[in-house]
């Protein structure tokens, strides 16, 4: 049963600390997404990658957030320095862009619950 | 950009009854409409999707309908069960991969 995995599942840190969240997309998927979910804003797209190249990170605060895909099996989202307003659940999702351009669903990981004190 | 509105925000139904969630979208270029179910403490799970060249799709107790002219689509759950209790999100995609999500509907199935 192929699944997106995320680590850590929970993270509590103090303001100003660096936070790194990791995601392993489903094998064979060529598109990776990072979302943030809060009660107030719902699900927000932060960044997405296709074939490891960043296609859009317009939803991400550039001064403190960064997203990378060092290889096809690992995506990372870093926050440095973290702030209390960054407290949220961060989801990674992966998908498969068909060669014909057919769009298919995005499959979400279990999320990382981040609390910044 | 795409704007997806979802109603109702909460829905309480008696076990065995049907539940209907409705969404509207703004961009006529949107052509793929997935539905997600999110249980407490878990990530959204894709439960069904529909493409713009299809009017209706069914999978066991769930079905989706799409009206392209009116730019709205709906999720129908029949014979609801307690395990259907969750938050449901509709979404729409245009020509790129950006999913625009509705605000979510919290469904509670009363035993």
């Amino acid at each position: 049963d192929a699944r997106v995995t995320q680590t850590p599942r929970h993270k509590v840190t103090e303001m100003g600390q660096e936070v790194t969240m990791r995601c392993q997309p489903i094998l064979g998927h060529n598109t990776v997404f990072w979302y943030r979910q809060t009660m107030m804003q719902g699900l927000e797209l932060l960044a997405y990658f296709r074939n490891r190249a960043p296609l859009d990170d317009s939803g991400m605060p550039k001064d403190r957030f960064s997203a990378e895909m060092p290889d096809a099996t690992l995506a990372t989202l870093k926050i440095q320095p973290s702030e209390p307003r960054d407290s949220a659940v961060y989801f990674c999702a992966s998908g498969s862009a068909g060669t014909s351009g057919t769009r298919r669903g995005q499959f979400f990981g279990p999320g990382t619950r981040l609390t910044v004190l | 950009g795409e704007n997806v509105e979802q109603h109702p925000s909460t829905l309480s139904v008696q076990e065995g009854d049907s539940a209907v969630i409705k969404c509207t979208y703004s961009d006529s270029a949107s052509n793929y409409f997935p539905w997600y179910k999110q249980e407490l403490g878990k990530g959204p799970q894709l439960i069904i999707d529909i493409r713009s060249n299809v009017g209706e799709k069914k999978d066991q107790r769930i079905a989706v309908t799409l009206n392209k002219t009116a730019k709205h689509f709906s999720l129908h759950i029949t014979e609801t069960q307690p395990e259907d209790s969750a938050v449901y999100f509709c979404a729409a995609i245009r020509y790129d991969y950006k999913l625009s999500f509705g605000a979510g509907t919290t469904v509670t199935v009363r035993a």
Side-chain angles (χ1 to χ4, degrees), chain A residues 37 56 96-97 103 105-106, chain B residues 31-32 36 38 44 51 97-98:
Chain A
Q37 186 176 42
D56 189 346
S96 178
R103 273 159 284 284
Q106 296 176 17
Chain B
N31 58 5
Y32 175 69
Y36 289 85
Q38 187 174 22
R51 301 184 190 286
Y97 253 69
K98 285 189 175 183

Side-chain angles (χ1 to χ4, degrees), chain A residues 2-3 6 12 18 24 31 46-47 63 72 76 83 90-91 93 96 100:
Chain A
R3 297 186 184 192
Q6 289 185 247
V12 180
E18 177 178 304
Q24 181 172 5
T31 312
L46 297 175
D63 56 338
T76 62
E83 297 181 0
Y90 291 80
F91 290 105
S96 178
S100 64

Side-chain angles (χ1 to χ4, degrees), chain A residues 9 31 33 35 37 43 45 48 50 56 58 91 96-98 102-110, chain B residues 31-32 34 36 38 41-46 49 51 89 93-99 101-103:
Chain A
R9 293 294 313 278
T31 312
F33 308 81
Y35 290 91
Q37 186 176 42
L43 275 161
L45 177 67
Y48 76 99
R50 183 168 178 168
D56 189 346
S58 58
F91 290 105
S96 178
T102 303
R103 273 159 284 284
R104 302 171 193 169
Q106 296 176 17
F107 298 87
F108 283 73
Chain B
N31 58 5
Y32 175 69
Y36 289 85
Q38 187 174 22
K42 297 184 178 180
Q45 177 190 6
L46 178 67
D49 56 17
R51 301 184 190 286
F89 293 94
I93 296 181
R94 298 186 305 164
Y95 47 82
D96 56 17
Y97 253 69
K98 285 189 175 183
L99 265 176
F101 284 94

Side-chain angles (χ1 to χ4, degrees), chain B residues 69-109:
Chain B
T69 304
K71 294 204 283 268
H72 64 68
F73 55 115
S74 301
L75 177 72
H76 303 251
I77 307 173
T78 59
E79 301 172 22
T80 53
Q81 300 169 5
E83 54 263 38
D84 295 329
S85 295
V87 180
Y88 291 81
F89 293 94
C90 62
I93 296 181
R94 298 186 305 164
Y95 47 82
D96 56 17
Y97 253 69
K98 285 189 175 183
L99 265 176
S100 296
F101 284 94
T105 298
T106 301
V107 173
T108 303
V109 179

Side-chain angles (χ1 to χ4, degrees), chain A residues 55-75:
Chain A
L55 290 191
D56 189 346
D57 60 1
S58 58
M60 212 163 59
K62 301 290 190 308
D63 56 338
R64 299 183 300 108
F65 284 60
S66 62
E68 295 179 345
M69 276 202 76
D71 60 59
T73 63
L74 177 65

